[in-house]
Protein backbone atom coordinates (compact mmCIF):
# COMPACT_ATOMS: atom_id res chain seq x y z
CA UNK A 1 0.00 0.00 0.00
CA UNK A 2 2.93 2.32 0.69
CA UNK A 3 4.04 2.00 -2.93
CA UNK A 4 0.59 2.97 -4.16
CA UNK A 5 0.44 6.02 -1.90
CA UNK A 6 3.94 7.02 -2.99
CA UNK A 7 2.90 6.84 -6.64
CA UNK A 8 -0.19 8.94 -5.91
CA UNK A 9 1.95 11.64 -4.28
CA UNK A 10 4.41 11.56 -7.20
CA UNK A 11 1.64 11.89 -9.78
CA UNK A 12 -0.08 14.64 -7.76
CA UNK A 13 3.19 16.61 -7.62
CA UNK A 14 3.84 15.97 -11.31
CA UNK A 15 0.43 17.46 -12.13
CA UNK A 16 1.10 20.41 -9.81
CA UNK A 17 -1.86 19.58 -7.57
CA UNK A 18 -1.85 20.47 -3.87
CA UNK A 19 -3.52 18.69 -0.97
CA UNK A 20 -6.21 21.35 -1.24
CA UNK A 21 -6.85 20.57 -4.93
CA UNK A 22 -7.15 16.87 -4.22
CA UNK A 23 -9.27 17.39 -1.13
CA UNK A 24 -11.67 19.65 -3.04
CA UNK A 25 -12.06 17.07 -5.84
CA UNK A 26 -12.61 14.27 -3.30
CA UNK A 27 -14.99 16.41 -1.23
CA UNK A 28 -12.91 16.01 1.93
CA UNK A 29 -10.77 18.38 3.99
CA UNK A 30 -7.11 18.97 3.11
CA UNK A 31 -6.19 17.46 6.48
CA UNK A 32 -8.15 14.31 5.62
CA UNK A 33 -6.36 14.06 2.28
CA UNK A 34 -2.97 14.55 3.95
CA UNK A 35 -3.80 11.60 6.21
CA UNK A 36 -4.36 9.44 3.12
CA UNK A 37 -0.94 10.31 1.71
CA UNK A 38 0.78 9.82 5.06
CA UNK A 39 -0.92 6.45 5.56
CA UNK A 40 -2.82 7.53 8.68
CA UNK A 41 -6.12 6.85 6.92
CA UNK A 42 -6.75 3.62 5.03
CA UNK A 43 -7.20 4.18 1.31
CA UNK A 44 -10.44 2.62 0.08
CA UNK A 45 -10.83 1.13 -3.37
CA UNK A 46 -13.48 3.70 -4.23
CA UNK A 47 -11.23 6.58 -3.21
CA UNK A 48 -8.28 5.12 -5.11
CA UNK A 49 -10.43 4.92 -8.22
CA UNK A 50 -11.53 8.55 -7.79
CA UNK A 51 -7.92 9.69 -7.25
CA UNK A 52 -6.94 7.87 -10.42
CA UNK A 53 -9.66 9.80 -12.29
CA UNK A 54 -8.62 13.15 -10.77
CA UNK A 55 -4.99 12.61 -11.69
CA UNK A 56 -5.98 11.27 -15.11
CA UNK A 57 -3.85 8.20 -14.48
CA UNK A 58 -4.71 4.61 -15.28
CA UNK A 59 -5.44 2.65 -12.11
CA UNK A 60 -3.06 -0.11 -13.18
CA UNK A 61 -0.16 2.38 -13.06
CA UNK A 62 -0.77 2.95 -9.35
CA UNK A 63 -1.05 -0.78 -8.79
CA UNK A 64 2.03 -1.43 -10.94
CA UNK A 65 0.27 -4.30 -12.63
CA UNK A 66 2.07 -5.28 -15.79
CA UNK A 67 3.81 -8.24 -17.30
CA UNK A 68 6.51 -8.28 -14.63
CA UNK A 69 3.89 -8.87 -11.90
CA UNK A 70 1.28 -10.99 -13.63
CA UNK A 71 2.10 -14.28 -15.24
CA UNK A 72 -0.24 -16.67 -16.99
CA UNK A 73 0.77 -20.31 -17.10
CA UNK A 74 -1.29 -22.96 -18.81
CA UNK A 75 -1.62 -26.00 -16.59
CA UNK A 76 -0.42 -29.33 -17.89
CA UNK A 77 -3.84 -30.90 -17.36
CA UNK A 78 -5.55 -28.30 -19.57
CA UNK A 79 -7.60 -26.90 -16.68
CA UNK A 80 -7.16 -23.30 -17.84
CA UNK A 81 -4.86 -20.61 -16.62
CA UNK A 82 -3.37 -19.90 -13.25
CA UNK A 83 -2.82 -16.24 -12.49
CA UNK A 84 -0.06 -15.38 -10.06
CA UNK A 85 -0.26 -11.83 -8.74
CA UNK A 86 2.34 -9.93 -6.77
CA UNK A 87 1.58 -10.37 -3.03
CA UNK A 88 1.57 -6.60 -2.44
CA UNK A 89 -1.76 -6.32 -4.25
CA UNK A 90 -3.75 -9.29 -2.96
CA UNK A 91 -5.59 -7.21 -0.33
CA UNK A 92 -6.43 -4.52 -2.85
CA UNK A 93 -7.72 -7.05 -5.35
CA UNK A 94 -9.79 -8.64 -2.58
CA UNK A 95 -11.27 -5.20 -1.75
CA UNK A 96 -12.09 -4.58 -5.40
CA UNK A 97 -13.81 -7.96 -5.65
CA UNK A 98 -15.82 -7.33 -2.48
CA UNK A 99 -16.92 -3.93 -3.78
CA UNK A 100 -17.90 -5.49 -7.10
CA UNK A 101 -19.88 -8.23 -5.35
CA UNK A 102 -21.72 -5.62 -3.24
CA UNK A 103 -22.62 -3.63 -6.35
CA UNK A 104 -23.95 -6.75 -8.07
CA UNK A 105 -26.01 -7.64 -4.99
CA UNK A 106 -27.40 -4.10 -4.84
CA UNK A 107 -28.37 -4.32 -8.52
CA UNK A 108 -30.09 -7.66 -7.93
CA UNK A 109 -31.99 -6.23 -4.94
CA UNK A 110 -33.15 -3.28 -7.04
CA UNK A 111 -34.36 -5.61 -9.80
CA UNK A 112 -36.42 -7.60 -7.28
CA UNK A 113 -37.91 -4.39 -5.86
CA UNK A 114 -38.79 -3.07 -9.34
CA UNK A 115 -40.42 -6.37 -10.31
CA UNK A 116 -42.53 -6.22 -7.15
CA UNK A 117 -43.58 -2.66 -7.95
CA UNK A 118 -44.52 -3.63 -11.52
CA UNK A 119 -46.61 -6.54 -10.24
CA UNK A 120 -48.34 -4.27 -7.74
CA UNK A 121 -49.12 -1.68 -10.41
CA UNK A 122 -50.45 -4.35 -12.82
CA UNK A 123 -52.76 -5.70 -10.10
CA UNK A 124 -53.98 -2.21 -9.30
CA UNK A 125 -55.03 -1.55 -12.91
Amino acid sequence: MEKIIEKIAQQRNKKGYTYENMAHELDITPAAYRKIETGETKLSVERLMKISEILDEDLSNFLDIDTKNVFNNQSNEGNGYVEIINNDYKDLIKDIKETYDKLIQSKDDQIVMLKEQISFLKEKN
Side-chain angles (χ1 to χ4, degrees):
M1 194 54 99
E2 290 174 21
K3 290 178 184 179
I4 294 170
I5 292 170
E6 183 179 313
K7 287 182 182 192
I8 290 170
Q10 288 172 352
Q11 189 65 20
R12 176 182 60 77
N13 288 323
K14 181 179 174 185
K15 295 274 188 180
Y17 293 173
T18 64
Y19 285 165
E20 290 79 13
N21 299 131
M22 295 300 292
H24 175 73
E25 292 292 325
L26 292 168
D27 198 28
I28 59 176
T29 66
Y33 182 78
R34 182 191 60 76
K35 286 182 179 182
I36 291 171
E37 279 199 17
T38 59
E40 293 176 57
T41 299
K42 185 176 179 181
L43 179 61
S44 69
V45 173
E46 293 86 2
R47 188 146 291 152
L48 176 60
M49 292 171 74
K50 181 67 177 171
I51 289 171
S52 133
E53 288 175 25
I54 294 166
L55 296 175
D56 194 29
E57 186 70 26
D58 192 72
L59 186 60
S60 65
N61 292 337
F62 290 125
L63 302 177
D64 197 26
I65 296 176
D66 61 16
T67 54
K68 71 180 181 187
N69 289 330
V70 179
F71 307 92
N72 289 322
N73 298 319
Q74 189 169 9
S75 72
N76 292 336
E77 292 116 25
N79 292 333
Y81 292 90
V82 176
E83 189 172 69
I84 302 168
I85 300 175
N86 190 323
N87 289 334
D88 291 344
Y89 305 113
K90 284 185 179 178
D91 290 339
L92 186 58
I93 290 169
K94 180 182 172 194
D95 289 345
I96 291 170
K97 183 184 180 321
E98 287 173 1
T99 300
Y100 175 80
D101 290 343
K102 287 177 186 177
L103 288 170
I104 295 297
Q105 183 60 50
S106 174
K107 175 203 54 96
D108 291 344
D109 293 345
Q110 289 176 356
I111 289 171
V112 168
M113 180 193 67
L114 290 169
K115 284 181 178 181
E116 290 171 355
Q117 288 177 348
I118 290 170
S119 293
F120 175 77
L121 291 171
K122 281 183 179 178
E123 290 174 9
K124 202 172 184 183
N125 289 333

